[in-house]
Short mmCIF file of all heavy atoms in Angstrom, two decimals:
data_model
loop_
_atom_site.label_atom_id
_atom_site.label_comp_id
_atom_site.label_asym_id
_atom_site.label_seq_id
_atom_site.Cartn_x
_atom_site.Cartn_y
_atom_site.Cartn_z
N GLN A 272 -5.34 -27.05 22.85
CA GLN A 272 -4.51 -26.43 23.91
C GLN A 272 -3.03 -26.65 23.63
O GLN A 272 -2.23 -25.72 23.84
CB GLN A 272 -4.89 -27.04 25.29
CG GLN A 272 -5.61 -26.13 26.24
CD GLN A 272 -5.23 -24.63 26.15
OE1 GLN A 272 -4.09 -24.24 26.45
NE2 GLN A 272 -6.16 -23.79 25.74
N ARG A 273 -2.71 -27.81 23.11
CA ARG A 273 -1.29 -28.08 22.83
C ARG A 273 -1.21 -28.93 21.60
O ARG A 273 -2.04 -29.83 21.40
CB ARG A 273 -0.68 -28.78 24.04
CG ARG A 273 0.82 -28.75 23.99
CD ARG A 273 1.47 -29.27 25.28
NE ARG A 273 2.88 -29.14 25.18
CZ ARG A 273 3.75 -29.90 25.86
NH1 ARG A 273 3.30 -30.83 26.69
NH2 ARG A 273 5.05 -29.73 25.69
N LYS A 274 -0.25 -28.68 20.76
CA LYS A 274 -0.06 -29.47 19.56
C LYS A 274 1.41 -29.62 19.31
O LYS A 274 2.09 -28.77 18.72
CB LYS A 274 -0.73 -28.76 18.36
CG LYS A 274 -1.24 -29.69 17.32
CD LYS A 274 -2.25 -29.17 16.32
CE LYS A 274 -2.34 -27.75 15.96
NZ LYS A 274 -3.03 -27.55 14.67
N LEU A 275 1.98 -30.70 19.85
CA LEU A 275 3.41 -30.94 19.75
C LEU A 275 3.65 -32.37 19.25
O LEU A 275 3.07 -33.30 19.81
CB LEU A 275 4.08 -30.76 21.12
CG LEU A 275 5.58 -31.08 21.23
CD1 LEU A 275 6.40 -30.14 20.37
CD2 LEU A 275 6.05 -31.01 22.68
N LEU A 276 4.44 -32.49 18.21
CA LEU A 276 4.70 -33.82 17.65
C LEU A 276 5.86 -34.53 18.35
O LEU A 276 6.83 -33.89 18.72
CB LEU A 276 5.00 -33.69 16.17
CG LEU A 276 3.86 -33.24 15.28
CD1 LEU A 276 4.34 -33.11 13.82
CD2 LEU A 276 2.69 -34.20 15.34
N ASP A 277 5.71 -35.83 18.48
CA ASP A 277 6.82 -36.64 18.93
C ASP A 277 7.65 -36.93 17.64
O ASP A 277 7.11 -37.51 16.70
CB ASP A 277 6.29 -37.95 19.54
CG ASP A 277 7.41 -38.82 20.05
OD1 ASP A 277 8.25 -39.24 19.24
OD2 ASP A 277 7.47 -39.09 21.25
N VAL A 278 8.90 -36.53 17.66
CA VAL A 278 9.71 -36.67 16.45
C VAL A 278 10.79 -37.76 16.57
O VAL A 278 11.77 -37.75 15.83
CB VAL A 278 10.31 -35.31 16.00
CG1 VAL A 278 9.24 -34.43 15.41
CG2 VAL A 278 11.03 -34.61 17.13
N THR A 279 10.57 -38.66 17.52
CA THR A 279 11.55 -39.74 17.73
C THR A 279 11.77 -40.53 16.46
O THR A 279 12.91 -40.90 16.13
CB THR A 279 11.02 -40.69 18.84
OG1 THR A 279 10.59 -39.92 19.92
CG2 THR A 279 12.09 -41.69 19.26
N ARG A 280 10.68 -40.84 15.74
CA ARG A 280 10.80 -41.72 14.57
C ARG A 280 11.69 -41.08 13.51
O ARG A 280 12.64 -41.70 13.03
CB ARG A 280 9.40 -42.01 14.01
CG ARG A 280 9.38 -43.19 13.09
CD ARG A 280 7.95 -43.53 12.69
NE ARG A 280 7.28 -44.41 13.64
CZ ARG A 280 6.00 -44.78 13.59
NH1 ARG A 280 5.24 -44.29 12.62
NH2 ARG A 280 5.49 -45.59 14.45
N ILE A 281 11.41 -39.85 13.13
CA ILE A 281 12.25 -39.23 12.07
C ILE A 281 13.68 -38.95 12.56
O ILE A 281 14.62 -39.12 11.81
CB ILE A 281 11.59 -37.96 11.44
CG1 ILE A 281 12.39 -37.54 10.18
CG2 ILE A 281 11.50 -36.79 12.44
CD1 ILE A 281 11.66 -36.62 9.25
N ASN A 282 13.82 -38.60 13.82
CA ASN A 282 15.15 -38.41 14.36
C ASN A 282 15.97 -39.68 14.30
O ASN A 282 17.15 -39.67 13.96
CB ASN A 282 15.09 -37.91 15.83
CG ASN A 282 14.64 -36.46 15.98
OD1 ASN A 282 14.36 -36.01 17.06
ND2 ASN A 282 14.56 -35.74 14.88
N SER A 283 15.30 -40.81 14.58
CA SER A 283 16.07 -42.07 14.59
C SER A 283 16.39 -42.52 13.16
O SER A 283 17.30 -43.33 12.94
CB SER A 283 15.32 -43.17 15.36
OG SER A 283 14.12 -43.44 14.74
N LEU A 284 15.67 -41.97 12.18
CA LEU A 284 16.05 -42.25 10.76
C LEU A 284 17.24 -41.42 10.32
O LEU A 284 17.81 -41.62 9.26
CB LEU A 284 14.87 -41.95 9.82
CG LEU A 284 13.67 -42.90 9.90
CD1 LEU A 284 12.48 -42.32 9.10
CD2 LEU A 284 14.05 -44.28 9.30
N GLY A 285 17.56 -40.39 11.16
CA GLY A 285 18.79 -39.60 10.84
C GLY A 285 18.50 -38.19 10.42
O GLY A 285 19.36 -37.52 9.84
N TRP A 286 17.27 -37.66 10.70
CA TRP A 286 16.98 -36.29 10.33
C TRP A 286 16.53 -35.47 11.55
O TRP A 286 15.75 -35.96 12.37
CB TRP A 286 15.89 -36.22 9.25
CG TRP A 286 15.63 -34.79 8.78
CD1 TRP A 286 16.30 -34.15 7.82
CD2 TRP A 286 14.71 -33.85 9.38
NE1 TRP A 286 15.86 -32.85 7.73
CE2 TRP A 286 14.86 -32.64 8.65
CE3 TRP A 286 13.78 -33.91 10.40
CZ2 TRP A 286 14.12 -31.48 8.95
CZ3 TRP A 286 13.02 -32.77 10.68
CH2 TRP A 286 13.20 -31.57 9.95
N LYS A 287 17.00 -34.25 11.62
CA LYS A 287 16.66 -33.31 12.70
C LYS A 287 16.44 -31.93 12.10
O LYS A 287 17.16 -31.53 11.18
CB LYS A 287 17.80 -33.21 13.69
CG LYS A 287 17.65 -34.06 14.92
CD LYS A 287 18.61 -33.58 16.03
CE LYS A 287 18.24 -34.13 17.35
NZ LYS A 287 18.49 -35.58 17.51
N ALA A 288 15.48 -31.16 12.65
CA ALA A 288 15.26 -29.77 12.19
C ALA A 288 16.45 -28.91 12.57
O ALA A 288 17.05 -29.08 13.61
CB ALA A 288 14.00 -29.22 12.83
N LYS A 289 16.82 -27.97 11.67
CA LYS A 289 18.04 -27.18 11.87
C LYS A 289 17.75 -25.73 12.35
O LYS A 289 18.51 -25.18 13.12
CB LYS A 289 18.77 -27.02 10.52
CG LYS A 289 19.39 -28.26 9.99
CD LYS A 289 20.41 -27.87 8.90
CE LYS A 289 20.97 -29.07 8.22
NZ LYS A 289 20.31 -29.33 6.94
N THR A 290 16.68 -25.14 11.77
CA THR A 290 16.52 -23.69 11.93
C THR A 290 15.89 -23.36 13.28
O THR A 290 14.77 -23.85 13.54
CB THR A 290 15.64 -23.15 10.79
OG1 THR A 290 16.15 -23.68 9.56
CG2 THR A 290 15.62 -21.67 10.75
N ASP A 291 16.55 -22.55 14.09
CA ASP A 291 15.88 -22.19 15.34
C ASP A 291 14.84 -21.13 15.11
O ASP A 291 14.87 -20.43 14.08
CB ASP A 291 16.90 -21.96 16.45
CG ASP A 291 17.29 -20.51 16.61
OD1 ASP A 291 16.91 -19.62 15.83
OD2 ASP A 291 17.95 -20.24 17.58
N LEU A 292 13.90 -21.01 16.05
CA LEU A 292 12.70 -20.23 15.81
C LEU A 292 13.03 -18.76 15.55
O LEU A 292 12.49 -18.11 14.67
CB LEU A 292 11.75 -20.37 17.00
CG LEU A 292 10.40 -19.73 16.85
CD1 LEU A 292 9.65 -20.26 15.62
CD2 LEU A 292 9.53 -19.96 18.09
#
Side-chain angles (χ1 to χ4, degrees):
Q272 249 327 294
R273 196 171 182 206
K274 210 162 27 159
L275 174 65
L276 292 178
D277 182 299
V278 287
T279 311
R280 197 173 274 173
I281 191 163
N282 288 169
S283 63
L284 288 169
W286 183 88
K287 263 197 163 71
K289 290 197 186 98
T290 311
D291 94 353
L292 186 58

